[in-house]
Amino acid sequence: MKKIILSGILLGSLALVGCEKEKEKNIIIGTPSRIKKLDPMVSNDIPSLLVTNQIFETFLYYENKELKSNILDEYIFINDTLELTPKKDLKFSNGDSVTIEDFKNSLERTLTHPGCKFLTGNIDTIKINGNKIVITFKVATPSILNNMTYPMIVLLKETNKGLVGTGSFKLDKEDIDTIELSPNNYSKNPGKNKIIFRAIPEDNARTMALEAEEIQINTNVPPIDKELVKSKGIQVIETPSVTTEMVWFNNEKLTLEERAKISKAINKADLIATSLEGSGTIATSMIPENSYGFSPNTKEIEVEDVEINRTLKIILNDVGTRKTNAQIIQANLKEVGIESEIIILDWAKYLDSSAKGEHDLLLGGWVNGTFDAEGVLYPLFHSQNAPEAGRRTLYSNKEFDSLLELSRTYDLEKREDYLKKSAEKLYEDYAILPLYYPNYSVGITNNIVGFKGDERGLYNFSQLNFKN
């Protein structure tokens, strides 16, 4: 029996603003991608979740590797039953009091969205029992507590004016390139300033905007610009990540032999040296090293060498490091007689195209936001998951599915063994090519305080403020 109790947790360019007084009120955050949709249960992409993470609160979160909660007084996990005791006196950003039904409705809503399936798909029933939410599961779900830290499982409410949450900010304005949030004064931890997210896809433009203080934060400083930014007296905060940058093979278009040939042709060390300027490490697995269930690929599987006599489509979104990666990979492939075409798409078209399987090779990353191998293996490879929910490899293998399903046990020794065997099956099949684990680099002007790094890149901006 496992019993865990939490109690008493309260944690205390571009279009410029019209005048200095207005500028002082707003912290402008430059991001490399436009937002897909401000619904955390629909948009499982980091640019969107970075914004929704300010508006909605997860049921649990990690602080110094310890599980905590801002919205639960207590949780008790016994075998296949999880009991949650909501905090009292919570309010949504529109002033409505939070009820126990809102907790139940939020959890039930995750069951209706395909993107949440890898997080809550094993839930069987959700019931109210007095002041508690009681959740039962179809099968053993040892990862559920980790899953509840991911910002798709959040407390929210649907209103005729849109979704509202209990987070540090509320939505003021949304258009294609700009999202404005203001402090949620009903929150237990309201933001200190209005924040504006501004999409600036071009790396150079984002760097120049930071140097000119047209933005105060650049969430993605390109490696090539780090020293330049520092030389201007701007802070660059670097954090190890739980992200794996990968080549996502279209397993329906490429044979095992073709995937193996491509994998052996690509020089990972060159990518790190050139694209990251050394700010990362070679990936030995699609699972980040600091995740539960990590097991590296320690042997190269030999398969028959084949010729690839067609031009392969390499699809990527408009991110500087990926464009450099694509050029290096294209050159690597040419050295072994493989021709390729580089296709750069904006974020929305990139997601749509890859979900339809229009790529041969897709360049992209995956953030293991649950810190558990299951958070990589299920959404990316289990055949029950839709491509738009993460399975952009279009990989489907019954043996792999079975091994991964067997990992859902509370016997932790068996669980680790089956997670390892699941990963080994993917290595044997050359289902995907892990490239490297990058560091996150965030640029911050010197008049801003209160920034805290995050391994997932899902920063909490509630403490951001101007220096006195």
Side-chain angles (χ1 to χ4, degrees):
M1 181 179 82
K2 182 175 182 180
K3 181 172 180 177
I4 308 173
I5 296 178
L6 300 176
S7 60
I9 302 172
L10 289 175
L11 298 180
S13 216
L14 320 206
L16 298 179
V17 287
C19 60
E20 286 302 312
K21 185 177 180 181
E22 176 73 9
K23 186 174 180 179
E24 288 176 4
K25 294 178 184 177
N26 304 333
I27 295 177
I28 304 176
I29 301 166
T31 64
S33 301
R34 293 185 175 96
I35 304 308
K36 182 181 175 184
K37 189 176 177 65
L38 286 180
D39 184 335
M41 297 178 188
V42 173
S43 298
N44 188 13
D45 64 282
I46 294 303
S48 300
L49 290 176
L50 176 62
V51 178
T52 58
N53 195 42
Q54 316 307 319
I55 302 170
F56 308 100
E57 291 185 288
T58 54
F59 278 60
L60 298 169
Y61 67 91
Y62 273 110
E63 183 174 89
N64 299 324
K65 298 185 177 181
E66 182 181 347
L67 281 172
K68 296 186 177 182
S69 179
N70 284 332
I71 61 175
L72 299 175
D73 271 332
E74 169 182 286
Y75 68 89
I76 303 173
F77 190 28
I78 305 171
N79 299 327
D80 284 335
T81 301
L82 175 61
E83 291 186 357
L84 308 177
T85 305
K87 283 185 179 293
K88 297 178 181 178
D89 302 324
L90 295 175
K91 287 191 174 184
F92 290 110
S93 59
N94 64 351
D96 289 352
S97 294
V98 176
T99 67
I100 195 166
E101 286 80 12
D102 292 318
F103 280 84
K104 180 175 182 285
N105 293 340
S106 296
L107 289 167
E108 288 179 337
R109 193 172 185 268
T110 67
L111 305 181
T112 66
H113 292 287
C116 297
K117 189 170 186 177
F118 78 102
L119 297 168
T120 58
N122 280 339
I123 288 179
D124 187 23
T125 64
I126 304 170
K127 296 180 180 179
I128 295 173
N129 183 10
N131 67 338
K132 299 181 186 298
I133 302 288
V134 180
I135 304 169
T136 62
F137 300 89
K138 301 169 189 173
V139 296
T141 310
S143 63
I144 188 62
L145 299 180
N146 284 336
N147 293 354
M148 284 190 162
T149 70
Y150 197 63
M152 295 181 78
I153 305 182
V154 297
L155 177 61
L156 53 71
K157 182 178 181 178
E158 297 185 50
T159 74
N160 56 9
K161 294 184 178 180
L163 300 176
V164 292
T166 58
S168 298
F169 294 90
K170 62 179 180 178
L171 178 65
D172 279 350
K173 178 183 174 184
E174 175 188 4
D175 62 35
I176 190 168
D177 283 316
T178 304
I179 294 172
E180 298 182 9
L181 306 182
S182 61
N184 172 16
N185 293 324
Y186 291 105
S187 169
K188 301 289 186 181
N189 184 34
K192 299 183 181 299
N193 289 87
K194 183 173 182 176
I195 59 176
I196 299 174
F197 289 88
R198 186 155 290 151
I200 312 171
E202 299 80 12
D203 287 344
N204 287 342
R206 216 166 48 253
T207 296
M208 291 172 64
L210 183 67
E211 292 175 359
E213 296 192 13
E214 293 171 0
I215 61 176
Q216 281 70 52
I217 294 178
N218 177 357
T219 61
N220 188 348
V221 176
I224 195 171
D225 288 345
K226 279 195 301 184
E227 293 308 314
L228 172 64
V229 169
K230 288 179 182 178
S231 73
K232 304 290 185 180
I234 296 170
Q235 310 170 71
V236 177
I237 296 177
E238 200 159 343
T239 310
S241 75
V242 285
T243 294
T244 310
E245 189 70 16
M246 297 178 278
V247 176
W248 304 54
F249 297 128
N250 185 328
N251 282 252
E252 291 184 352
K253 288 184 177 180
L254 296 167
T255 67
L256 168 64
E257 292 78 15
E258 290 172 336
R259 299 193 299 269
K261 186 180 184 76
I262 294 167
S263 296
K264 294 172 184 178
I266 293 174
N267 189 321
K268 298 180 185 181
D270 279 356
L271 297 175
I272 294 172
T274 305
S275 295
L276 301 186
E277 298 201 344
S279 185
T281 56
I282 288 177
T284 57
S285 172
M286 69 291 295
I287 304 163
E289 292 179 354
N290 46 358
S291 299
Y292 175 86
F294 166 78
S295 59
N297 186 7
T298 57
K299 59 183 179 180
E300 188 172 273
I301 309 300
E302 292 298 327
V303 299
E304 178 187 356
D305 188 33
V306 295
E307 297 295 319
I308 301 177
N309 297 315
R310 64 189 186 282
T311 300
L312 302 181
K313 288 184 180 179
I314 303 176
I315 292 181
L316 58 144
N317 66 315
D318 191 14
V319 172
T321 51
R322 287 192 187 135
K323 288 188 281 189
T324 305
N325 286 348
Q327 293 167 353
I328 294 171
I329 289 169
Q330 187 179 53
N332 289 161
L333 296 181
K334 194 171 184 65
E335 289 174 2
V336 294
I338 303 172
E339 295 297 325
S340 59
E341 173 190 9
I342 295 172
I343 301 172
I344 301 173
L345 303 174
D346 67 32
W347 184 242
K349 289 179 181 177
Y350 167 86
L351 293 175
D352 183 61
S353 173
S354 56
K356 292 176 180 175
E358 294 174 349
H359 58 289
D360 292 297
L361 280 64
L362 179 74
L363 304 192
W366 185 261
V367 178
N368 188 16
T370 66
F371 303 96
D372 190 294
E374 212 178 277
V376 177
L377 300 179
Y378 261 95
L380 270 59
F381 304 105
H382 196 284
S383 61
Q384 287 185 349
N385 285 304
E388 59 267 24
R391 194 173 57 88
R392 298 172 195 273
T393 55
L394 302 178
Y395 178 81
S396 181
N397 184 284
K398 290 182 180 179
E399 181 184 349
F400 168 81
D401 287 352
S402 177
L403 287 168
L404 192 53
E405 288 159 10
L406 287 168
S407 74
R408 285 186 156 163
T409 171
Y410 296 113
D411 184 324
L412 296 184
E413 187 175 336
K414 285 185 178 179
R415 183 168 191 250
E416 284 198 85
D417 184 53
Y418 281 119
L419 287 173
K420 181 179 180 180
K421 288 177 178 176
S422 300
E424 287 174 349
K425 178 59 182 168
L426 297 174
Y427 303 147
E428 291 173 7
D429 288 347
Y430 287 92
I432 200 167
L433 177 63
L435 298 174
Y436 53 74
Y437 307 121
N439 294 335
Y440 291 139
S441 297
V442 178
I444 307 171
T445 56
N446 285 323
N447 61 336
I448 297 297
V449 295
F451 176 82
K452 185 178 180 181
D454 183 86
E455 292 174 297
R456 302 175 299 180
L458 294 170
Y459 311 110
N460 183 315
F461 292 134
S462 63
Q463 299 303 304
L464 289 184
N465 207 349
F466 289 95
K467 283 184 180 177
N468 293 329

